Amino acid sequence: MRVLVAGSSGLIGSALVARLRADGDEVLRLVRRPAQAPDERSWDPPAGVIAEGALSGVDAVVNLCGAGIGDRRWSHARKQVLLDSRIEPTEVLAAAVAEHSIPVLVNGSAVGYYGDTDGPADESTPAGGGFLAELCQRWEAATEAAKGARVVLARSAQVLSPRGGLLGRLRPLFFLGIGGRLGSGEQYMPWIHVDDEVAALAFLLRNDIAGPVNLVGPAPVTNAEFTRAFAKTKFRAAILPVPRAALRLVTGEFADEILRSQQVEPKVLRDNGFHFRYGTIDKALAATEAR
């Protein structure tokens, strides 16, 4: 396939580009500056401009654009950045997909769509409440311009990687012995190993699946269970819980999202025969820490 990837420099995007190329696909990368390499194509989302010829012969577009959800403390301005970095680029790409008759659009989203779940949630579960749920709804709605394409809404969980992301923020705390459960720890915390994340995205590109798809590991765990498993990989005790007030002081309104319970299940992937390489949190964490 010839695949155009937006957001190719991020944690997931860079891993996906490597995976697709290993599979024999040709990958073009959309960049927000003048193209400097043969595989780069420039674009300017605020201006609604994509370089001429960027979509020529393209079989699928993967959109992974968006500022990091938990990279900075949430404020009104930061939440606007989270929205603007997703909605506008998605609208531009969706319109381009329709204009150039691209067959497939795989668009990023997140399990934050479900808000605070009361029991297990799959792709048929309605949207929940809260800022992240609203963001995900607007993000997904921005794909509606991709008329005629098979559109996949890839709702990702926290991605576990040896190269950063959630674990990159947690490792220093656990090394210092101050890592612990968040709040009560009873809230469910969806996760997926980065290798399964990119394998699932590649799977969605090649199979006739459309609509929402949960990219989450097959064995849900609570935050307390995750914390114990991660502490075990570091040979550290996880004994100092982080109270809600302290979490809110550090992360702002994002604390409310962190403490939501999300028992999300990958029903569509399971039903379509996708095989998870890392089926448990222990295996996933052991793999990330072994690299």
Side-chain angles (χ1 to χ4, degrees):
M1 300 179 71
R2 191 179 213 200
V3 184
L4 183 70
V5 179
S8 63
S9 62
L11 180 71
I12 300 171
S14 57
L16 177 64
V17 168
R19 167 65 190 248
L20 294 178
R21 287 177 173 163
D23 288 346
D25 297 313
E26 179 186 2
V27 181
L28 303 176
R29 298 181 296 125
L30 274 181
V31 295
R32 301 191 193 200
R33 52 172 171 72
Q36 299 174 353
D39 68 335
E40 292 183 347
R41 303 292 185 270
S42 63
W43 73 320
D44 183 353
V49 174
I50 301 178
E52 185 176 353
L55 289 102
S56 298
V58 168
D59 300 299
V61 172
V62 180
N63 176 27
L64 301 173
C65 289
I69 293 291
D71 289 356
R72 299 183 186 178
R73 189 179 191 277
W74 277 16
S75 62
H76 177 75
R78 181 59 181 174
K79 290 197 292 185
Q80 192 61 50
V81 168
L82 298 179
L83 285 166
D84 292 344
S85 64
R86 287 167 171 78
I87 310 305
E88 189 173 59
T90 300
E91 290 173 341
V92 171
L93 279 176
V97 163
E99 180 183 352
H100 294 271
S101 300
I102 307 299
V104 181
L105 170 62
V106 176
N107 201 76
S109 186
V111 295
Y113 176 92
Y114 302 107
D116 200 342
T117 64
D118 182 15
D122 62 25
E123 289 84 354
S124 66
T125 302
F131 174 75
L132 272 184
E134 177 191 347
L135 181 150
C136 290
Q137 291 174 73
R138 293 179 60 184
W139 193 3
E140 294 182 5
T143 66
E144 291 176 359
K147 304 297 184 183
R150 175 172 67 86
V151 178
V152 183
L153 306 171
R155 295 173 180 168
S156 293
Q158 289 279 5
V159 176
L160 307 182
S161 168
R163 295 192 175 93
L166 173 67
L167 298 186
R169 296 191 291 274
L170 290 180
R171 284 188 188 99
L173 301 178
F174 278 80
F175 272 124
L176 294 172
I178 56 176
R181 60 177 169 79
L182 304 179
S184 70
E186 296 177 359
Q187 69 275 19
Y188 275 89
M189 177 180 169
W191 61 273
I192 186 169
H193 189 281
V194 65
D195 290 350
D196 283 332
E197 171 84 4
V198 298
L201 290 170
F203 182 84
L204 294 171
L205 282 170
R206 304 183 202 289
N207 288 272
D208 190 19
I209 300 169
V213 181
N214 294 334
L215 273 58
V216 298
V221 296
T222 65
N223 176 260
E225 291 168 334
F226 172 88
T227 300
R228 285 194 293 271
F230 189 57
K232 185 178 178 182
T233 69
K234 296 300 175 192
F235 303 100
R236 297 285 195 275
I239 58 175
L240 295 176
V242 181
R244 177 186 288 267
L247 196 61
R248 193 173 179 86
L249 182 66
V250 174
T251 67
E253 293 179 37
F254 185 44
D256 297 333
E257 303 288 349
I258 294 170
L259 296 174
R260 294 186 192 280
S261 185
Q262 295 188 317
Q263 191 178 351
V264 183
E265 299 184 345
K267 185 177 187 300
V268 171
L269 286 177
R270 272 201 190 116
D271 290 351
N272 285 276
F274 179 77
H275 173 71
F276 286 90
R277 183 175 179 184
Y278 301 103
T280 68
I281 191 63
D282 292 301
K283 288 182 179 179
L285 288 172
T288 60
E289 299 311 301
R291 296 186 185 180

